[in-house]
Amino acid sequence: MSDKIQKQVMAKEQKTSVGIMKFITGEYLQKFGIVLALLIMCIALSIMSPYFLKVSNFVNILLQSSINAILAFGLTFVIITGGIDLSVGSVLALAGVVMGVVLQNQGNVVIAIFLGLIVGALCGFSNGVLITKLNLPPFIATLGMMSIARGLALVITKGYPISGLPPAVRFLGADKLAGIPVPVLLVIILFVISHIILSNTKIGRYDYAIGGNEEATKLSGVNVDKYKIIIYTISGLFAGIAGIVLAARVNSALAIAGMGYELDAIAASVIGGVSLMGGEGSASGTLLGAVVMGVLRNGLNLLNVSTFWQQVVIGVVVIAAVSLDQLQKKRR
Amino acid sequence: MDYILEMRNISKEFPGVKALNKVNLNIKPGEIHVLVGENGAGKSTLMKILTGVYSKDEGEIILKGKKIDIKSPKEAQIAGISIIYQELNLVPQLSIAENIFLGREPLKKNGLIDWEDMYRKTNELLKRLDLNLEPRIKVKKLGIAQQQMVEIAKALSFKSDIIIMDEPTSALTEKEIEQLFKVMKQLKSSGVAIIYISHRLEEIKKIGDRLTVLRDGTYIGTYAVDSVDIDKIIQLMVGRRLEEKFPKEFAAISNNVLEVKNLNRKNVLKNISFVLKKGEVLGLAGLMGAGRTELARAIFGVDPIDGGEIYINGIKVNIKSPSEAIKNGIGLLPEDRKMQGLVQALSVTHNVTLPSLNNFIKKIFLNKKKENDITYAYVEKVNIKTPSTSKKVRFLSGGNQQKVVLAKWLCANVDILIFDEPTRGIDVGAKVEIYKLINNLVKEGKSVLLISSELPEILGMCDRILVMHEGEITGEFLRQDATQEKILACATGRLKNVG
């Protein structure tokens, strides 16, 4: 009895001391770094522009970050394994286009959305199979898929946009629930799901283990191939969701949608502390990364900085974020 | 005094630990000076200070009578101090000559590399070491022993008069060790001083002139090797008398748990047959490359087999993957625990539960409390020294890491444990702890297959011993019949002793 109590007390002490240690040793520091950077940016922008500090503007920022955030959540799973998925931008377009074509031809909204998502997941699944069964490097497999998916989207639409989507679809991109735009709600839901998968399920645990040491994970009896395929399928599925939301927002499915979005999504993950070496990262970090990019774009827009210069700034921020991370690691 | 190097009262503090406390080290020219101490005693910290990787907090370094301040590895090299690490620092894709002169290639007047000069100089260095190697060969084509020689040649090319060797023999075969010792003696006679770090105490007697003992960051003393015996050295290292180096206890041995019949893998394993009994520690001896690790991997389902049968408790099983091996109650503690046994970036808990995660699932979610509680129980059981179960394993010492690997298999509830070189690179005190854990395992009715290159360990801990040579079992001995000579004779293929 007393033994048990003692153990509980020890466990508790352990827990708090661990919390404090993490705090001190800087495991949280990085995340605080992003939050701090975000706060400084917000303060600076609200001084420089009277429009920045408005609720409507914040809702706008989240809405503009939503597609990037959804793609980045999917990519986070992949990058934690030490892999990469370059195909998400193209898969996004293919999923949107497939939904559009189905809507054009028979109109059932549920089936159309479902098929769009399935195609997204299938692309991810194929990536996973190519990487695990044919031993292709993730960069190559998904580079190929990037071209295949884009090509198929163009073939299906012959390059023409599919416009005039039904209201039930447009709801996903343009409507609001309780004053919050539906894409933003979706981001929140997908964030919660990603966070739970990563921190509370087998898939998440194996994800970090594979990224940390694939060989040791295999020798611990984990079916590494199976879980990698699942993880790439998740990335494809998230790209599919993003494709449908984007089509709904702009009220048309375009084969050229999402060009280069994969790079933005990688940037958001990396700013959010996901390590391209694998084994490190979190859904909350990635969400912060996507918001940082959104605030930056929005702020630069409000300050009338040209989109050309915006590109430059985003690039600088990505490099700065990773450099800070590296410096911190060196010090530890 | 005629010391080439004196380190006086060296102290170094890391956040929270005093790594070195007023440590002394005196080296004479042309001597082999052994530095011993358990892991964490401060040997590598001291060497890192000497080679400019770390800065010292206190103390002074006197080289050839002059006080110096070494601020970087480059400065150390220029001062004539070279270090050869356990993990070799060569670029595999480059040739021997390119590796030796990396970053300081001899140049022609027009700024291009003077290859002829580089190969000529490399040849001279290799000849000095009595090595018959072509300077143009890529390093990746060399064995570990030869790569080490390249490192030594590189050290010589800096005109080093002090060479530090950090556990150079841990990955070498007997024959290669002999070759290394020959080279060391040669260097010695040409006046080079060698600081030698090793966990293999028998080697110290063989090769060392004097030794310095460190314990917990403090200086214990410097002794002439001839004046101390191995037991005395151990006592100095651990600060107490180890009651026994191999505390073997005997458990009740009963029915066959694992039976291997005619296992074959092309060019690797030939007709391997043996049984492992409940409560038994079965040793697997042999030279490097005899196929012992390969046999373990075949049984564990990592590498495919071409033929043969495996029976667990009398029932034929078909193991094609590690997960099937685990389901059949087999766990493998791999040779390379850093790269294969553990995920260094994960916590103790996450490593311990990795093979048995299914037992911690509630619906689809992980039961983290259960994970922590059970891991905590195993941390106690196998006595892992860690501040908490959420500590990442990369911060633990070698011995404690090995215990984490063991805990993960105990948590997966396996009955057959294959230990592949479980005490390699682990200090003496932790070795005894691992042996005691093996005792406890067999007393609980588990079975152990112990692969080891250290014959005293095999002789000290096993109930029965198998010997392998070139993929074949060439010997089988009961504990009481086994001797080093017989095992070595079977391991080199000079004797066959199978029933």
Side-chain angles (χ1 to χ4, degrees):
Chain A
M1 182 69 194
S2 67
D3 217 37
K4 199 174 172 188
I5 291 171
Q6 200 192 346
K7 206 172 142 189
Q8 276 173 350
V9 172
M10 277 184 80
K12 203 169 182 182
E13 275 175 4
Q14 206 188 348
K15 215 172 184 179
T16 47
S17 71
V18 167
I20 293 166
M21 275 314 287
K22 271 192 181 167
F23 201 87
I24 295 167
T25 57
E27 281 198 30
Y28 291 150
L29 204 71
Q30 195 198 9
K31 223 173 254 182
F32 276 129
I34 309 172
V35 175
L36 204 67
L38 193 56
L39 277 177
I40 292 169
M41 268 163 50
C42 288
I43 292 168
L45 286 169
S46 51
I47 294 167
M48 289 193 273
S49 163
Y51 304 103
F52 181 78
L53 205 61
K54 284 188 173 163
V55 177
S56 63
N57 188 43
F58 273 101
V59 172
N60 194 23
I61 289 172
L62 289 174
L63 187 61
Q64 282 168 349
S65 316
S66 58
I67 300 296
N68 190 18
I70 295 171
L71 290 179
F73 289 146
L75 258 164
T76 297
F77 285 92
V78 169
I79 300 177
I80 289 174
T81 64
I84 193 79
D85 188 349
L86 298 176
S87 68
V88 291
S90 302
V91 171
L92 168 153
L94 183 60
V97 161
V98 166
M99 176 187 73
V101 168
V102 176
L103 286 173
Q104 242 179 357
N105 288 320
Q106 60 106 335
N108 187 323
V109 173
V110 177
I111 292 178
I113 292 175
F114 182 72
L115 283 175
L117 296 179
I118 288 286
V119 165
L122 262 178
C123 290
F125 178 81
S126 313
N127 282 333
V129 170
L130 291 171
I131 289 160
T132 55
K133 303 300 175 194
L134 290 186
N135 263 326
L136 291 184
F139 190 96
I140 302 298
T142 59
L143 185 69
M145 184 56 70
M146 175 174 156
S147 187
I148 293 171
R150 180 72 63 195
L152 286 177
L154 286 164
V155 168
I156 293 172
T157 58
K158 298 186 183 75
Y160 294 110
I162 302 170
S163 334
L165 303 178
V169 173
R170 291 217 317 268
F171 164 83
L172 289 172
D175 279 4
K176 287 183 182 182
L177 274 181
I180 305 170
V182 176
V184 175
L185 281 175
L186 276 171
V187 167
I188 294 168
I189 293 168
L190 292 175
F191 162 67
V192 171
I193 292 174
S194 301
H195 178 75
I196 289 175
I197 294 178
L198 280 175
S199 58
N200 270 311
T201 70
K202 229 161 65 167
I203 296 174
R205 181 66 56 78
Y206 291 162
D207 197 351
Y208 288 102
I210 293 168
N213 185 341
E214 188 169 332
E215 176 74 1
T217 306
K218 221 178 252 175
L219 288 176
S220 294
V222 176
N223 189 340
V224 169
D225 285 359
K226 174 178 147 189
Y227 283 91
K228 273 192 177 174
I229 292 173
I230 290 175
I231 282 162
Y232 279 92
T233 307
I234 291 176
S235 178
L237 178 64
F238 276 44
I241 296 171
I244 284 158
V245 174
L246 182 61
R249 255 189 78 194
V250 299
N251 194 16
S252 69
L254 298 167
I256 52 158
M259 286 246 197
Y261 280 23
E262 59 280 340
L263 299 181
D264 274 355
I266 294 169
S269 307
V270 167
I271 292 174
V274 183
S275 162
L276 285 174
M277 303 301 290
E280 272 173 54
S282 65
S284 51
T286 298
L287 180 62
L288 279 171
V291 172
V292 164
M293 288 179 72
V295 168
L296 213 56
R297 285 230 162 94
N298 175 273
L300 296 172
N301 272 333
L302 290 179
L303 298 177
N304 277 328
V305 176
S306 84
T307 51
F308 301 155
W309 275 108
Q310 288 184 22
Q311 298 261 22
V312 177
V313 173
I314 299 267
V316 170
V317 167
V318 170
I319 291 171
V322 181
S323 309
L324 278 176
D325 189 32
Q326 293 292 353
L327 282 177
Q328 233 171 49
K329 268 186 195 146
K330 228 179 223 173
R331 224 178 299 142
R332 262 182 254 156
Chain B
M1 280 301 262
D2 50 342
Y3 292 125
I4 182 169
L5 170 77
E6 286 177 81
M7 297 180 82
R8 288 188 196 150
N9 293 321
I10 305 287
S11 294
K12 173 78 186 173
E13 204 170 325
F14 292 113
V17 242
K18 186 111 191 173
L20 291 174
N21 191 4
K22 296 201 182 333
V23 169
N24 300 309
L25 182 68
N26 300 321
I27 308 292
K28 292 177 187 168
E31 76 163 339
I32 296 179
H33 193 110
V34 188
L35 189 57
V36 294
E38 295 194 274
N39 282 344
K43 294 172 306 216
S44 19
T45 309
L46 187 65
M47 289 304 103
K48 283 187 175 155
I49 287 173
L50 180 57
T51 51
V53 179
Y54 294 153
S55 60
K56 57 186 188 304
D57 297 345
E58 271 174 59
E60 49 187 16
I61 300 174
I62 294 156
L63 185 71
K64 295 170 200 160
K66 260 192 282 172
K67 197 175 152 185
I68 58 161
D69 199 16
I70 300 167
K71 285 192 226 77
S72 72
K74 195 158 186 189
E75 285 187 25
Q77 244 165 4
I78 292 165
I81 303 169
S82 287
I83 183 161
I84 294 159
Y85 287 105
Q86 233 168 320
E87 290 91 16
L88 298 172
N89 282 320
L90 298 172
V91 184
Q93 291 84 0
L94 298 184
S95 71
I96 295 179
E98 285 170 307
N99 265 289
I100 291 178
F101 290 99
L102 191 60
R104 49 200 180 99
E105 292 81 359
L107 298 179
K108 288 194 254 187
K109 276 191 196 118
N110 59 11
L112 296 177
I113 294 176
D114 188 346
W115 292 100
E116 237 164 84
D117 189 37
M118 190 156 119
Y119 290 133
R120 191 180 49 77
K121 284 180 175 160
T122 305
N123 254 330
E124 274 166 25
L125 290 166
L126 294 174
K127 214 165 272 166
R128 221 181 125 187
L129 295 174
D130 235 351
L131 287 174
N132 210 357
L133 286 173
E134 166 57 43
R136 290 175 180 78
I137 296 184
K138 292 207 165 127
V139 161
K140 67 178 171 195
K141 297 209 171 124
L142 303 178
I144 289 186
Q146 289 173 318
Q147 294 192 15
Q148 227 163 37
M149 294 296 164
V150 174
E151 287 261 26
I152 295 174
K154 187 171 175 181
L156 290 178
S157 75
F158 280 100
K159 308 208 169 23
S160 302
D161 26 37
I162 299 171
I163 297 180
I164 305 160
M165 297 187 182
D166 189 359
E167 290 219 42
T169 57
S170 60
L172 301 189
T173 64
E174 296 286 329
K175 224 175 133 187
E176 292 167 335
I177 291 173
E178 288 306 319
Q179 167 73 13
L180 176 69
F181 284 178
K182 219 176 93 193
V183 168
M184 284 170 68
K185 281 178 189 154
Q186 231 167 289
L187 291 172
K188 183 178 136 173
S189 60
S190 67
V192 176
I194 296 172
I195 302 176
Y196 187 76
I197 300 176
S198 176
H199 278 115
R200 295 193 175 170
L201 299 178
E202 315 85 61
E203 291 178 358
I204 298 173
K205 300 292 284 184
K206 227 171 168 177
I207 190 79
D209 297 314
R210 295 193 307 148
L211 68 103
T212 292
V213 183
L214 300 185
R215 186 203 308 150
D216 297 331
T218 56
Y219 173 74
I220 302 300
T222 301
Y223 311 84
V225 167
D226 294 333
S227 70
V228 284
D229 60 15
I230 289 185
D231 285 340
K232 177 71 184 171
I233 298 173
I234 292 175
Q235 200 190 327
L236 290 166
M237 278 167 61
V238 298
R240 65 195 136 86
R241 206 169 239 302
L242 277 183
E243 45 304 6
E244 243 188 310
K245 263 193 282 174
F246 303 106
K248 171 73 178 166
E249 291 175 45
F250 296 91
I253 296 175
S254 54
N255 49 304
N256 293 355
V257 177
L258 170 72
E259 227 180 318
V260 173
K261 282 188 187 164
N262 290 320
L263 203 67
N264 273 294
R265 177 154 197 247
K266 211 179 165 209
N267 298 331
V268 182
L269 301 171
K270 284 175 225 154
N271 285 325
I272 303 279
S273 299
F274 69 91
V275 294
L276 173 65
K277 295 184 163 136
K278 186 172 174 171
E280 185 181 41
V281 180
L282 177 62
L284 192 50
L287 302 177
M288 261 216 193
R292 296 167 302 163
T293 298
E294 291 73 11
L295 175 58
R297 286 172 66 90
I299 296 173
F300 194 60
V302 191
D303 298 334
I305 53 171
D306 299 331
E309 291 157 0
I310 296 174
Y311 297 82
I312 304 279
N313 294 317
I315 298 159
K316 194 179 162 187
V317 292
N318 192 4
I319 296 172
K320 286 211 207 79
S321 69
S323 71
E324 284 166 325
I326 295 164
K327 272 184 210 130
N328 281 299
I330 305 173
L332 172 68
L333 292 87
E335 181 177 26
D336 184 350
R337 77 189 148 257
K338 255 191 183 159
M339 290 310 298
Q340 303 184 324
L342 295 167
V343 184
Q344 297 283 335
L346 289 187
S347 67
V348 173
T349 304
H350 292 186
N351 270 290
V352 168
T353 57
L354 193 56
S356 51
L357 211 50
N358 282 331
N359 299 341
F360 299 96
I361 302 282
K362 226 197 253 158
K363 291 191 183 134
I364 59 163
F365 299 113
L366 293 171
N367 185 345
K368 290 189 173 173
K369 192 180 172 313
K370 188 176 164 194
E371 264 191 282
N372 268 321
D373 289 351
I374 290 189
T375 302
Y376 191 78
Y378 282 110
V379 165
E380 300 253 284
K381 186 177 161 139
V382 301
N383 194 20
I384 299 168
K385 285 177 206 92
T386 170
S388 88
T389 51
S390 56
K391 192 90 182 162
K392 290 184 177 172
V393 294
R394 74 158 152 248
F395 297 117
L396 304 185
S397 70
N400 282 306
Q401 290 197 357
Q402 189 63 283
K403 290 184 204 164
V404 175
V405 185
L406 177 60
K408 97 182 187 184
W409 293 122
L410 295 181
C411 186
N413 204 18
V414 301
D415 295 319
I416 300 164
L417 289 140
I418 306 174
F419 286 81
D420 194 352
E421 305 282 3
T423 61
R424 175 178 291 168
I426 290 180
D427 56 61
V428 193
K431 273 185 185 175
V432 174
E433 275 194 81
I434 300 276
Y435 299 142
K436 286 187 173 160
L437 286 168
I438 291 178
N439 281 338
N440 293 341
L441 293 174
V442 287
K443 271 195 270 181
E444 285 167 20
K446 298 192 187 297
S447 310
V448 170
L449 182 63
L450 175 61
I451 301 174
S452 174
S453 297
E454 290 186 42
L455 283 182
E457 176 171 293
I458 291 265
L459 290 165
M461 287 309 298
C462 299
D463 298 299
R464 197 158 51 92
I465 296 152
L466 300 175
V467 191
M468 280 184 79
H469 170 67
E470 294 185 347
E472 248 179 309
I473 291 184
T474 49
E476 181 176 352
F477 301 95
L478 287 174
R479 178 186 178 81
Q480 56 270 26
D481 303 330
T483 64
Q484 293 219 10
E485 292 73 32
K486 286 189 206 168
I487 292 177
L488 267 177
C490 292
T492 48
R494 280 182 286 128
L495 176 73
K496 274 213 173 178
N497 182 45
V498 273

